[in-house]
Amino acid sequence: MSAEHVLDHRPGGHVPGHARDRVRAGANKVPEVTVYFWIIKVLTTGMGETASDFLAHLFGAIPAVGLGGLAFVASLVLQFAVRRYVAWVYWTTIVMVSVFGTMAADVLHVGIGVPYALSTPLFLTALAATFALWYASERTLSIHGIRTRRREFFYWAAVLATFALGTAAGDLTATTGLGYLGSVVLFAVAICVPALAHRAGVLGAVTAFWTAYVLTRPLGASIADWMAVPASRGGLAWGLGPVTVSWTVAILGFVAYLAVSRRDVEPAVRPHDGQHSGGRAARP
């Protein structure tokens, strides 16, 4: 039984003031990791990549970054305001993180002139520092205990860092000889490694999850770029706008399905039979 569970079941149900900051009643604030989670995650990464470029072309770089930053902050405030996982709120925040994370990486490269070979390790260092602070504070990096403000803060800081890192890494490979399609193949193969390593028992669930989470960003972004860029750059020439819209429609469809089916909600709180689930496999 976890410390959170013990505190939630003190005699009389009373939780002291200092514990109230650490333990909050209610369901986990993030979804269960299912196949739908990974599909939507990849879709949001690609949509964020093309949407960022599309907005920059439409409004200009500085106004686009300003609008992206405002939308990101607004979605994050809403995510922190709700007391449980809500599919459309969570995935809206992920989309805004994707768009703004892409802009952050692009501003360093295009606006300031920082090469991807330098920004990639910089974002990797930022992610490592976030994980180190998170673990030092909570003694875990698992996403299955995001019930406190502090854990939620660390979670979203890590998510933002993974998006910025993935954007820089994807652009680095795409502009150093591999091209967009080559990057798609590279990251599609790479994302299989943590999954296979976890199945083989040589990589823990938490490490495997976060490794795959980072790799979904360059994978999705490379696919979307390959679809959008002109043939002269090795793409399908569908255009930034059409790719952004089509991927957005796909995201909306999957999120709507999850909002109705609740397949990404903790089994213990699903309403189908009112009973707690039994044992479950190891989770990140």
Side-chain angles (χ1 to χ4, degrees):
M1 183 178 293
S2 69
E4 293 173 347
H5 191 81
V6 170
L7 284 170
D8 285 344
H9 290 78
R10 284 171 171 266
H14 175 67
V15 180
H18 69 278
R20 207 173 287 126
D21 180 57
R22 293 183 291 115
V23 180
R24 184 174 62 205
N28 200 34
K29 290 290 294 290
V30 302
E32 286 285 291
V33 179
T34 66
V35 65
Y36 300 105
F37 176 92
W38 293 114
I39 291 173
I40 302 175
K41 176 61 168 59
V42 171
L43 287 171
T44 61
T45 63
M47 180 269 185
E49 176 75 15
T50 55
S52 173
D53 293 339
F54 180 70
L55 291 172
H57 281 87
L58 188 63
F59 299 112
I62 294 177
V65 171
L67 289 172
L70 289 174
F72 164 63
V73 171
S75 64
L76 201 58
V77 168
L78 180 59
Q79 168 64 25
F80 272 83
V82 297
R83 297 185 62 82
R84 59 182 178 83
Y85 164 70
V86 179
W88 73 267
V89 174
Y90 174 86
W91 287 111
T92 296
T93 309
I94 289 291
V95 166
M96 292 301 102
V97 170
S98 178
V99 173
F100 188 69
T102 300
M103 290 176 173
D106 288 344
V107 163
L108 277 182
H109 179 71
V110 179
I112 304 178
V114 178
Y116 292 126
L118 178 58
S119 61
T120 299
L122 283 176
F123 286 128
L124 179 60
T125 301
L127 178 61
T130 301
F131 281 148
L133 290 172
W134 184 355
Y135 189 80
S137 173
E138 304 297 322
R139 311 308 299 174
T140 180
L141 300 179
S142 172
I143 68 166
H144 292 281
I146 311 299
R147 293 181 169 86
T148 69
R149 295 291 187 192
R150 185 163 57 189
R151 288 190 179 184
E152 197 171 7
F153 171 81
F154 282 125
Y155 173 79
W156 287 106
V159 168
L160 180 59
T162 64
F163 272 90
L165 169 61
T167 298
D171 287 338
L172 174 63
T173 60
T175 56
T176 53
L178 276 180
Y180 294 109
L181 184 57
S183 295
V184 171
V185 175
L186 171 66
F187 291 114
V189 172
I191 204 170
C192 295
V193 174
L196 294 175
H198 177 56
R199 283 183 175 274
V202 297
L203 195 64
V206 173
T207 303
F209 169 82
W210 282 112
T211 303
Y213 197 92
V214 170
L215 291 171
T216 57
R217 173 58 185 175
L219 173 61
S222 297
I223 295 173
D225 276 336
W226 172 61
M227 294 172 66
V229 300
S232 60
R233 297 173 58 191
L236 298 179
W238 289 10
L240 293 171
V243 172
T244 299
V245 171
S246 60
W247 285 49
T248 300
V249 170
I251 293 168
L252 290 173
F254 278 108
V255 172
Y257 170 73
L258 292 178
V260 173
S261 68
R262 295 173 62 82
R263 287 182 176 271
D264 58 342
V265 176
E266 288 180 301
V269 298
R270 286 181 190 161
H272 59 86
D273 59 6
Q275 297 178 349
H276 290 300
S277 63
R280 63 180 63 166
R283 304 179 306 168

